[in-house]
Amino acid sequence: MGQLSAEVDHRYVIVGAGAIGGTVGGVLARAGIPTVLVARGRHAEVLAAEGITLKTPDGAFRTAVSTARGPDDIRLTDRDVLVFATKTQQLDAALQEWVDRPVHGPGGGTAGERLPAMTALNGVAAEEKALRYFRRVFGVCVWLPAVHLEPGEVIVRAWPVVGQFHISRWPAALCTREDADLLSALAESWTAAGVLVRTPDDVAPWKYNKLLSNLGNAVGALTGDTAGEIVAALRREGENVLRHAGIEFVSFEVSTATRADGPTIRLVPGSNTGPSNSTWQSLSRQTGNVETDFLNGEIVRLAHQHGIEAPLNTALARAARATVLSGQGPGRYSAEQLAQLVGVDRIG
């Protein structure tokens, strides 16, 4: 994507420069959109010294990026939009780190009072977490096939459209003209940069669709296999729980049709990333945690809240926790072993 000719009013501070945040920050920076990537450790060092490398189906692209290790490195103003792209289990610490930071310029105040906070995370817990700290929260439903395993590098499996986001104010009833203007400007600039943005009236049904899609993440991580029967059974159970709870969700037929204009996954030369979902990445990098309790565990929570059970998702979440505690990487089970452990009757 080329440089944007129109002036951009906002700067996007992306907290968490992994697969999602790194890809978004990289393509925005390539398009000349003011962006800061917030990262830690060796990843932060490489980003600052060498920029970010996006390995794509059409080649590798290295782009200089503005970086920070935390809020002490950034002078926030009312032009800033905070985009949280951590894992859900890491979000509370990130929100607490940023909420009380001063916003400089006319009006003053703190980030929690003044700045929009966007939650580009899987699951449906992030938005409610963010509302504890930020007045203006925007939910983001993320479809972006990317992998972050090495410092300074993201493997992006679609190009030049790297992802598709649905974004709205959370809760939707609070949307104001200011919010609509922000989303309109964001959709125009991000879409031109390669992140296709749609702005539905309410993102919640889209996020519940994505939650159902992510119920198979731990399956791919634990087996290295698509294991379609297990995933299908988990999703059927998840859909039944959502219906029992009276929660609206977009159907897979609608979401699949919506994604027809991108992103389109293709092979990245020289990069064999396996299942490559977020849970697989966490186990591969030995982070010591996974987000399964906010994916399959969300279905379990809703089931318990409404006096029913979700035994398949309960068993899979338990298996993921046990794998983290054991220190083992991905591929611990065969598909047949996991099916037996979870309680799915037939594989193959």
Side-chain angles (χ1 to χ4, degrees), residues 124 208 211-212 215 232-249 295-314:
V124 294
Y208 279 102
L211 173 66
L212 292 170
L215 295 181
L234 291 164
R235 290 178 180 172
R236 283 195 299 271
E237 183 178 85
E239 289 185 12
N240 290 337
V241 170
L242 293 183
R243 291 191 182 100
H244 188 93
I247 293 173
E248 179 186 357
F249 59 93
L295 301 176
N296 307 85
E298 180 66 20
I299 296 299
V300 175
R301 184 192 72 81
L302 287 168
H304 291 168
Q305 186 179 60
H306 290 84
I308 60 175
E309 296 184 0
L312 304 184
N313 282 277
T314 297

Side-chain angles (χ1 to χ4, degrees), residues 25-312:
V27 298
L28 295 187
R30 279 174 53 80
I33 299 172
T35 306
V36 180
L37 280 175
V38 181
R40 299 183 186 275
R42 179 60 181 159
H43 189 40
E45 294 174 1
V46 175
L47 291 176
E50 303 176 14
I52 189 163
T53 298
L54 303 180
K55 289 189 171 183
T56 83
D58 293 340
F61 303 95
R62 180 177 292 177
T63 303
V65 290
S66 297
T67 63
R69 291 178 177 271
D72 289 341
D73 295 340
I74 301 179
R75 187 177 188 272
L76 294 174
T77 74
D78 58 9
R79 293 179 54 245
D80 288 320
V81 176
L82 296 176
V83 181
F84 290 93
T86 65
K87 297 291 193 298
T88 306
Q89 67 271 20
Q90 301 158 345
L91 180 61
D92 283 322
L95 293 167
Q96 292 165 13
E97 190 175 32
W98 287 87
V99 60
D100 295 321
R101 297 294 168 159
V103 175
H104 298 274
T110 65
E113 297 166 334
R114 296 288 309 283
L115 300 185
M118 299 197 168
T119 48
L121 291 79
N122 287 333
V124 294
E127 291 73 28
E128 296 301 315
K129 287 175 175 288
L131 284 170
R132 289 179 170 85
Y133 305 98
F134 286 84
R135 181 178 63 85
R136 292 174 68 200
V137 172
F138 295 79
V140 184
C141 181
V142 175
W143 280 298
L144 197 158
V147 182
H148 166 59
L149 297 175
E150 298 295 331
E153 176 183 297
V154 179
I155 299 169
V156 186
R157 300 172 63 201
W159 194 264
V161 178
V162 300
Q164 183 179 141
F165 288 5
H166 287 71
I167 310 176
S168 79
R169 180 76 187 265
W170 189 286
L174 296 181
C175 187
T176 65
R177 170 53 58 187
E178 182 184 13
D179 298 331
D181 290 344
L182 168 64
L183 290 175
S184 177
L186 182 151
E188 181 179 0
S189 60
W190 284 32
T191 297
V195 182
L196 177 58
V197 173
R198 302 181 185 274
T199 56
D201 291 337
D202 188 359
V203 75
W206 290 94
K207 294 214 67 164
Y208 279 102
N209 168 275
K210 183 68 187 312
L211 173 66
L212 292 170
S213 177
N214 289 142
L215 295 181
N217 283 14
V219 176
L222 294 176
T223 67
D225 191 316
T226 55
E229 287 93 343
I230 304 177
V231 174
L234 291 164
R235 290 178 180 172
R236 283 195 299 271
E237 183 178 85
E239 289 185 12
N240 290 337
V241 170
L242 293 183
R243 291 191 182 100
H244 188 93
I247 293 173
E248 179 186 357
F249 59 93
V250 171
S251 70
F252 282 109
E253 290 78 10
V254 170
S255 63
T256 300
T258 301
R259 293 199 301 274
D261 52 357
T264 300
I265 295 176
R266 293 185 284 140
L267 291 176
V268 178
S271 299
N272 180 11
T273 58
S276 76
N277 65 58
S278 57
T279 305
W280 181 88
Q281 292 176 62
S282 294
L283 292 180
S284 297
R285 294 168 56 204
Q286 295 285 291
T287 61
N289 52 64
V290 290
E291 61 183 344
T292 313
D293 288 334
F294 294 100
L295 301 176
N296 307 85
E298 180 66 20
I299 296 299
V300 175
R301 184 192 72 81
L302 287 168
H304 291 168
Q305 186 179 60
H306 290 84
I308 60 175
E309 296 184 0
L312 304 184

